[in-house]
Amino acid sequence: MSDDFDLLETNSQEKPEKVDVNWGKAIDQMKSKLAQEDDPESRQKILNATLDNVVDMAEKDRTTLLDAIKDLTDYQDEVGIMFEGFSALNKAEQKIIDDAIKRLERAKVELEDAKNKPDTWWNNLWGRKGKIRDAESELVSAQKERDAADNKAKAMFQERIETADVQTLLNELSFKSQAAIKRLKDREVEIKEVEDKLQDAIVEASKNHTKALEKKAEVEDKLEAEYALLKQARQALTDVADKQSTEYSEALSKVTKLEQSVEELEGLKNAYTTLAASKDSFVHKHNLTIKVLTSLRSNLQTHRAKLKSDTDERLKYYDGYVVALKARTDQEFAAILEHLGVKTDEHIGETLAAMHTASAKARQDMMDNIPVHEKVMQGIYGSYAEALKEIRNKDIELQKNFADRYGIDMKEIFDEYYNSENTVPNPEGDNSGGDNPEPKPEAEDDLLG
């Protein structure tokens, strides 16, 4: 477990790829984008949130992520990061780059094979020089295709993410985080290698500083001896009385040689003094550089460790966000279905009520259309009265049932359809009930059958 959690581990046998960084305005632009805050009413949005509001907020999240991915992709170009190593390409986009790389490698091999054929008249007869020219032309074309492959893949990538959903954009952001972690790790390794070289340089500079001081001391000893001899030679020259004699010339020549030797030794002394000072200066400069690099490497370790740890956690966080978005969509779908169900219930209720109304009116129309002169239909009216009485009794049960089940008193509703008296309508308009209050037996024929 300890190895798994060693986020600050830097040592690596892999040599990081050297990248020429052109910072430009990239950092300032990115910091400016990240510092923008155009939503001061976020608390109120949360308090007043509805499903429709959440849709807008989720779309804003997608737009923000899309802008961030675009800025990061542009930032890659400005700081010299290879596009295919810092973006999650799909198969089609990656194939463009892979095909260009394969073509370039194949062109290099073919050109090398063509040049490796001996320059003989026989090989030239069979087109050796022409094959070399063709291979060189193919290499130029392959190199152009390789140079343009990144831009072509990038254009396809940008076009794809324009319409990408939030989950795709979050995956892209996570991929870039993983790529950044590797980049930071490589940079740490590079700095560590430079630190090691500077440590060696400090040791070497210290040795040279010591050697320079030792040589300086040696020269000073010789110089002291030469000064003593020069003093004696000058005294001897002064003691020669005859300035035109050979003795004087010899004494003068000795003085000149000693002065030349002293001058050379003075030069060596100054050289070793300067060299010692220079080496001492570089010892301090290298030491300062190491301190700065170590500090930078430490900061990179901190950023990388936090980014690695946060990215692992963030992936889980993103999963929760994506699932929440899906759940919101499902909830909205359920609400739509509920709304449609309620509307359908309302429509069916209206239809059923209309059916009941139409049926009642049809019944009334049927009764109204019975000819007055058909007195023989008294039996039918008697049967109708019995049926009506049964319906009223059933209505009473229904009212009680509705009241018991739903707490609704249906009496007032049913009173709108029926009178409270149990009387049979008289086709002749006689309210006395007629001479035959009971129906005749033959009136019980099944006329509605």
Side-chain angles (χ1 to χ4, degrees):
M1 292 298 294
S2 59
D3 292 337
D4 294 338
F5 196 70
D6 189 6
L7 300 176
L8 299 179
E9 177 60 35
T10 298
N11 296 329
S12 175
Q13 300 300 324
E14 300 179 0
K15 294 289 184 180
E17 181 181 356
K18 302 294 183 181
V19 179
D20 294 330
V21 178
N22 176 21
W23 296 106
K25 300 179 180 178
I27 294 179
D28 291 338
Q29 289 175 349
M30 289 295 293
K31 289 171 68 176
S32 175
K33 285 290 184 74
L34 294 174
Q36 290 179 357
E37 179 55 53
D38 57 355
D39 190 12
E41 300 178 354
S42 58
R43 177 178 177 275
Q44 200 63 33
K45 283 189 175 183
I46 295 174
L47 294 175
N48 298 333
T50 64
L51 285 178
D52 291 337
N53 298 144
V54 173
V55 172
D56 295 336
M57 293 172 72
E59 178 57 29
K60 184 177 180 181
D61 289 343
R62 195 195 77 85
T63 303
T64 302
L65 277 169
L66 179 60
D67 292 341
I69 298 301
K70 288 180 178 178
D71 290 341
L72 283 171
T73 305
D74 294 337
Y75 177 72
Q76 294 168 210
D77 295 337
E78 294 197 42
V79 300
I81 303 175
M82 296 300 290
F83 172 73
E84 65 268 24
F86 208 67
S87 291
L89 306 181
N90 62 20
K91 291 182 179 180
E93 295 157 358
Q94 188 63 52
K95 187 175 186 301
I96 292 176
I97 296 174
D98 292 342
D99 289 348
I101 293 175
K102 290 178 182 178
R103 181 185 176 187
L104 180 60
E105 292 175 349
R106 186 167 57 252
K108 290 179 179 178
V109 171
E110 291 177 354
L111 178 59
E112 184 177 359
D113 291 343
K115 288 183 176 180
N116 285 339
K117 287 188 177 180
D119 187 8
T120 62
W121 68 272
W122 179 256
N123 288 335
N124 290 332
L125 179 64
W126 287 99
R128 173 182 175 275
K129 294 182 179 180
K131 291 179 180 179
I132 292 177
R133 287 193 300 269
D134 293 342
E136 288 175 341
S137 176
E138 170 61 16
L139 180 60
V140 172
S141 299
Q143 186 63 56
K144 289 181 179 179
E145 180 180 342
R146 175 65 188 95
D147 295 339
D150 280 357
N151 289 333
K152 187 174 181 181
K154 178 182 175 182
M156 292 177 63
F157 168 81
Q158 293 282 37
E159 183 178 356
R160 174 168 60 88
I161 67 169
E162 283 286 346
T163 56
D165 57 16
V166 171
Q167 186 169 9
T168 301
L169 295 176
L170 289 175
N171 291 339
E172 173 64 21
L173 190 60
S174 298
F175 184 91
K176 289 185 182 297
S177 296
Q178 298 288 356
I181 292 170
K182 181 180 183 303
R183 178 176 171 81
L184 292 176
K185 177 73 172 291
D186 293 342
R187 187 67 69 202
E188 291 172 39
V189 174
E190 181 182 0
I191 292 176
K192 189 67 172 61
E193 291 178 351
V194 174
E195 288 178 16
D196 294 340
K197 291 179 182 178
L198 287 174
Q199 288 286 6
D200 295 339
I202 287 178
V203 174
E204 189 67 24
S206 297
K207 290 179 180 179
N208 291 332
H209 175 257
T210 302
K211 289 180 181 179
L213 292 178
E214 292 173 351
K215 289 290 185 180
K216 177 175 174 289
E218 293 177 5
V219 170
E220 287 176 340
D221 292 341
K222 291 180 180 180
L223 190 58
E224 185 177 355
E226 290 294 294
Y227 270 124
L229 292 175
L230 180 59
K231 183 178 181 181
Q232 294 175 1
R234 285 175 176 171
Q235 184 61 45
L237 182 62
T238 303
D239 293 342
V240 176
D242 186 2
K243 307 298 182 185
Q244 302 297 324
S245 64
T246 303
E247 182 183 1
Y248 183 82
S249 298
E250 291 176 352
L252 180 61
S253 176
K254 185 177 181 180
V255 169
T256 301
K257 288 181 179 180
L258 288 172
E259 288 178 343
Q260 184 180 7
S261 177
V262 166
E263 186 67 26
E264 289 177 354
L265 290 173
E266 285 284 357
L268 283 175
K269 176 186 174 182
N270 292 334
Y272 284 125
T273 301
T274 302
L275 183 60
S278 174
K279 294 303 177 182
D280 183 62
S281 172
F282 273 105
V283 167
H284 293 293
K285 289 177 182 177
H286 292 337
N287 185 53
L288 174 62
T289 305
I290 288 175
K291 289 180 179 179
V292 173
L293 289 178
T294 303
S295 175
L296 290 173
R297 181 164 57 85
S298 176
N299 290 339
L300 284 177
Q301 285 178 333
T302 302
H303 284 298
R304 177 174 59 84
K306 185 176 186 303
L307 182 60
K308 185 178 187 303
S309 178
D310 289 355
T311 298
D312 294 339
E313 300 298 334
R314 194 167 283 123
L315 289 175
K316 304 170 189 175
Y317 180 57
Y318 291 165
D319 287 341
Y321 175 65
V322 171
V323 170
L325 285 179
K326 293 178 180 178
R328 182 213 61 78
T329 303
D330 293 340
Q331 184 178 350
E332 185 179 25
F333 181 65
I336 292 173
L337 287 178
E338 173 64 17
H339 179 73
L340 291 175
V342 170
K343 286 297 182 183
T344 303
D345 294 346
E346 292 175 358
H347 293 159
I348 292 175
E350 291 175 1
T351 304
L352 289 173
M355 286 181 181
H356 177 74
T357 302
S359 177
K361 288 182 177 179
R363 183 189 63 203
Q364 291 174 355
D365 291 343
M366 178 187 67
M367 298 304 298
D368 289 341
N369 291 331
I370 294 176
V372 177
H373 63 275
E374 293 183 351
K375 294 182 180 182
V376 292
M377 301 297 294
Q378 289 293 334
I380 296 175
Y381 285 110
S383 300
Y384 171 68
E386 290 180 0
L388 184 60
K389 181 178 180 181
E390 183 180 348
I391 288 174
R392 285 175 174 169
N393 292 335
K394 184 66 175 178
D395 285 343
I396 292 173
E397 293 179 8
L398 290 175
Q399 293 176 40
K400 185 176 184 305
N401 181 269
F402 269 85
D404 292 340
R405 292 175 61 187
Y406 304 107
I408 302 173
D409 186 359
M410 302 299 293
K411 184 176 183 303
E412 294 182 0
I413 298 177
F414 283 97
D415 282 348
E416 294 180 5
Y417 297 100
Y418 308 111
N419 295 322
S420 59
E421 298 179 0
N422 271 333
T423 57
V424 181
N426 192 330
E428 296 180 352
D430 186 2
N431 293 331
S432 63
D435 296 335
N436 299 318
E438 294 183 1
K440 296 179 181 180
E442 58 269 22
E444 295 181 359
D445 293 339
D446 190 6
L447 299 177
L448 300 179

